[in-house]
Amino acid sequence: MTTYKITMMDAYAIESLREKGITNEVLLTAVASGDTTRLLDADPEGNFDALLKLGDDWDALKSILNDGYQIKFVTYNGLRNLLRMKFRKPFTDLDNGIEGLHLSVEELIQLKKLLSSNWVLKAEEVDDGYVASVTYIE
């Protein structure tokens, strides 16, 4: 299975809509029809041009939504914002990353898949899943 790479802005668009209750099915329907009314109802400030552009490769878009994605380049602020949107769990900010993010096995797999190569993920197994730290490498 191919893991597709998307931009940080694409990831923000997807995760902010998911955070507002928009399902993959609704996203796919909106992209297929070109009608973003339902997306705009959920996120009136949203710009969905990039999301619609992802629909140019329909199989890739379905895989991105259903199987996950990798971000081409993740900045520190981008990482923090994305983790808050995607997992909605607390973590501790560090000068060069984050630590103390409690994740399930599936969430850990998602995080590992989405990080760009400028980040190192470490995870320690605990009773109810994993505690992850992510560190920026220069």
Side-chain angles (χ1 to χ4, degrees):
M1 172 176 35
T2 300
T3 298
Y4 291 94
K5 293 182 179 185
I6 63 175
T7 68
M8 189 61 133
M9 294 310 295
D10 293 336
Y12 278 168
I14 292 167
E15 298 306 333
S16 69
L17 287 167
R18 285 178 170 165
E19 190 176 37
K20 292 171 175 74
I22 298 295
T23 65
N24 290 347
E25 182 179 299
V26 170
L27 280 167
L28 289 169
T29 299
V31 170
S33 68
D35 181 2
T36 59
T37 304
R38 194 138 173 224
L39 306 182
L40 285 167
D41 288 344
D43 186 0
E45 302 297 317
N47 180 340
F48 306 110
D49 293 342
L51 189 59
L52 293 173
K53 183 89 172 121
L54 285 175
D56 290 347
D57 185 340
W58 188 250
D59 291 333
L61 178 60
K62 288 195 310 187
S63 178
I64 288 164
L65 294 175
N66 294 319
D67 303 323
Y69 52 84
Q70 181 180 30
I71 299 174
K72 293 176 184 176
F73 183 81
V74 181
T75 64
Y76 175 64
N77 284 332
L79 173 72
R80 291 173 43 233
N81 292 333
L82 189 62
L83 292 176
R84 286 186 180 111
M85 281 191 290
K86 187 163 186 68
F87 299 117
R88 296 183 212 124
K89 296 180 179 187
F91 53 83
T92 302
D93 287 316
L94 303 173
D95 288 340
N96 63 342
I98 64 99
E99 69 180 7
L101 179 61
H102 290 261
L103 299 171
S104 68
V105 173
E106 182 174 303
E107 291 168 332
L108 182 64
I109 292 167
Q110 290 174 14
L111 177 58
K112 183 177 182 176
K113 187 184 277 189
L114 74 81
L115 290 173
S116 56
S117 61
N118 59 319
W119 293 96
V120 173
L121 171 64
K122 293 182 182 174
E124 179 181 328
E125 192 168 3
V126 294
D127 289 338
D128 59 346
Y130 291 87
V131 176
S133 66
V134 181
T135 308
Y136 180 76
I137 50 175
E138 300 193 34

